[in-house]
Amino acid sequence: MIRLPGSTTTHVAERPLRYGWVALLIGASLPCTQVALAQHGKAPHQHGHAELLIVAQSSQLQIQLRSPAANITGFEEIAQSPQQQRAVNRAKQILLTKNLFKPEPSDCESDSIDADFSSLDSGAEHHAEHEDDHDQDHDENHADVIVTYNYTCKRVAELESITTQLLTNFPSITQLNAQWVIGSRQGATTLDNSRDKIQIR
């Protein structure tokens, strides 16, 4: 299986995810792809922009969203006011749903969702206080929301497209940069509010 270290089979798990794009491939035998993704590196933190990485091997499909928290809730600090907490709760309700992405052919089943809301929610689990700053996915000035969606598919090698409702639900995301590695196929595209489907070629 392609799975982040420490993930569980529970459908929804809120946890801090410290792993970058390349960690999605840990345990997978895709050496050329690992090199390509390592060269890409971590995407810059830019408001209005968000990143998707789509990786598939065997029967496993994984989609990871990384977005500045401001795109999701309108702010980038621990929620303080009732209004901010409602914004966090709304974001969770939308992001932690099985139908946010629709792979086609539609023979994929959602296994689990791993999410990191620790930059916004004071009730979320945190890592130890003395972590190396270089290992953190975000700092207090540039908070990211990271959500990983895990699927099992009967015909993952035949995957043709993935449609997402992200841009409809979060209009502050004006540009969604997607990369994919599906078997031997690799590619990238950009979605906006007029285009919500990733064509896998």
Side-chain angles (χ1 to χ4, degrees):
M1 290 179 76
I2 306 173
R3 188 175 296 281
L4 288 169
S7 65
T8 70
T9 55
T10 305
H11 177 66
V12 172
E14 290 182 38
R15 66 185 72 231
L17 300 178
R18 297 170 54 201
Y19 312 102
W21 297 124
V22 181
L24 287 166
L25 295 176
I26 289 177
S29 56
L30 297 173
C32 294
T33 299
Q34 288 176 322
V35 172
L37 293 178
Q39 289 174 343
H40 172 75
K42 181 182 174 181
H45 180 102
Q46 186 174 356
H47 291 185
H49 291 204
E51 308 292 324
L52 277 183
L53 183 70
I54 303 161
V55 179
Q57 183 192 32
S58 184
S59 62
Q60 303 302 306
L61 169 66
Q62 189 172 77
I63 303 172
Q64 186 180 81
L65 165 70
R66 181 191 296 267
S67 173
N71 294 341
I72 305 299
T73 61
F75 57 91
E76 288 198 324
E77 67 274 357
I78 295 291
Q80 301 291 336
S81 68
Q83 182 180 3
Q84 287 182 327
Q85 190 58 56
R86 284 195 296 271
V88 172
N89 292 340
R90 174 187 177 275
K92 287 182 180 181
Q93 184 177 11
I94 295 170
L95 291 172
L96 300 179
T97 58
K98 295 187 291 185
N99 59 357
L100 198 60
F101 295 95
K102 184 179 180 182
E104 293 286 354
S106 55
D107 58 357
C108 296
E109 294 186 4
S110 176
D111 289 335
S112 65
I113 304 173
D114 296 324
D116 179 7
F117 295 100
S118 60
S119 62
L120 298 174
D121 192 346
S122 59
E125 179 186 354
H126 289 268
H127 281 290
E129 295 179 2
H130 302 292
E131 290 178 312
D132 189 323
D133 289 343
H134 296 290
D135 291 334
Q136 295 180 348
D137 281 327
H138 52 74
D139 57 38
E140 61 183 24
N141 295 319
H142 296 291
D144 287 344
V145 169
I146 307 170
V147 188
T148 303
Y149 302 83
N150 302 291
Y151 300 85
T152 297
C153 305
K154 294 179 181 178
R155 297 178 292 163
V156 72
E158 300 175 23
L159 192 66
E160 296 178 355
S161 67
I162 297 175
T163 304
T164 179
Q165 299 177 31
L166 272 172
L167 297 162
T168 300
N169 285 287
F170 300 104
S172 292
I173 300 177
T174 58
Q175 182 173 312
L176 183 61
N177 301 312
Q179 295 183 86
W180 65 84
V181 181
I182 310 293
S184 61
R185 295 177 290 167
Q186 302 182 31
T189 192
T190 299
L191 304 183
D192 56 30
N193 56 16
S194 66
R195 184 165 171 247
D196 62 1
K197 179 179 287 189
I198 300 166
Q199 297 289 347
I200 307 296
R201 295 184 175 89

